[in-house]
Amino acid sequence: MKKLFLLLTVAMLSACTSSIHMSQVDVGTNSQQELASGKVINIEKSQKILLGFVYDSNYVDQAYKQLLLQCPNGTSMINVEYLTNHGFLSWTDKIRIKALCKQA
Amino acid sequence: MPIKLQSILGLSFLLVGGCSQLHHVHIGDIDQSQGRLTPFTIEVNELGFDAARTAEIGAGMAKSASTSKDLEFVALILAISNFGPKTGNPVYNDAYADQVFYEVIKVCPSKKITGLTSVREATNVGPVSGEVVRINGYCIN
């Protein structure tokens, strides 16, 4: 009974932990119009890593390219978040970008 | 020293020994030429908990050798189940900082913002911590 309780506790505690390494917000000058009624876009790119073998960080470049595509006139405010979801002998690195696109 | 006094002393050190740790800071452009500046702060936090370290502490404090061995095994299972780089203690919610962006948009009635500083920090009390994302800035009036 004691071992079963221990096993259940371990299973519960080992579920889906995360770590946010960085979250930064930047705002451009003359962005009042977009702050009042701008379009917010969300971009999330990730990379699954097994046993620590990492050979590139292309997901960051993909997120940046997606940002340029979705905001062709540029951005007036941007939030970049870099985090890790932990797993069994593996983890997933994620980059989340929220931005206010400049209007044409 | 009686065991009760030892426990009280240990607990006191744990509570008083809480300390802040800065992980990352980013300072944006500051424009003081557009008008009077009013400071604002937006802060979100989440409970951080290092389960593997807690099990290790438990193993060290266990009275019997078998309990200590069991807890060491639990610590190992927890460590390999939560594999990966960590900043501060792990949290059980990866979206706790999502709303800071929307809070910053809403914070200034004039919709003119400058001098944003983004801080990622933690307050640690043993294996438990408050994982914090804080945004400081100024509204231009």
Side-chain angles (χ1 to χ4, degrees), chain A:
Chain A
M1 189 67 187
K2 198 174 141 192
K3 295 238 170 180
L4 185 70
F5 175 73
L6 204 66
L7 199 72
L8 275 172
T9 311
V10 171
M12 275 163 65
L13 287 173
S14 63
C16 310
T17 63
S18 305
S19 193
I20 295 182
H21 309 294
M22 180 200 90
S23 176
Q24 66 184 52
V25 185
D26 250 320
V27 66
T29 50
N30 303 320
S31 54
Q32 304 96 287
Q33 200 188 334
E34 286 81 20
L35 280 171
S37 60
K39 178 191 159 201
V40 177
I41 59 144
N42 286 283
I43 296 163
E44 183 173 303
K45 295 285 172 191
S46 60
Q47 184 179 44
K48 178 97 178 160
I49 292 150
L50 193 67
L51 292 169
F53 294 103
V54 194
Y55 299 104
D56 62 64
S57 56
N58 290 345
Y59 69 107
V60 180
D61 301 331
Q62 286 166 13
Y64 185 67
K65 278 181 192 157
Q66 197 69 42
L67 178 67
L68 295 179
L69 275 174
Q70 290 194 36
C71 290
N73 297 309
T75 61
S76 47
M77 191 170 138
I78 191 159
N79 171 216
V80 181
E81 217 178 317
Y82 167 47
L83 62 127
T84 300
N85 292 144
H86 307 124
F88 183 74
L89 295 175
S90 68
W91 70 86
T92 307
D93 280 335
K94 278 185 185 169
I95 189 146
R96 278 188 196 141
I97 298 176
K98 290 185 198 69
L100 263 177
C101 293
K102 274 190 179 162
Q103 290 157 1

Side-chain angles (χ1 to χ4, degrees), chain A residues 20, chain B residues 44-46 91 93-99 120 131-133:
Chain A
I20 295 182
Chain B
V44 290
N45 62 69
E46 183 68 25
V91 294
N93 169 19
D94 75 349
Y96 74 91
D98 276 7
Q99 75 265 31
R120 172 72 182 88
E131 300 298 324
V132 178
V133 171

Side-chain angles (χ1 to χ4, degrees), chain B residues 4-47:
Chain B
K4 209 170 179 184
L5 189 60
Q6 258 184 353
S7 307
I8 292 168
L9 259 177
L11 197 68
S12 306
F13 274 119
L14 197 70
L15 292 172
V16 176
C19 51
S20 284
Q21 189 178 10
L22 179 69
H23 296 300
H24 180 263
V25 65
H26 170 83
I27 299 174
D29 291 340
I30 305 166
D31 184 357
Q32 300 189 78
S33 66
Q34 303 279 315
R36 196 169 51 85
L37 303 181
T38 310
F40 68 82
T41 299
I42 292 160
E43 187 176 301
V44 290
N45 62 69
E46 183 68 25
L47 178 77

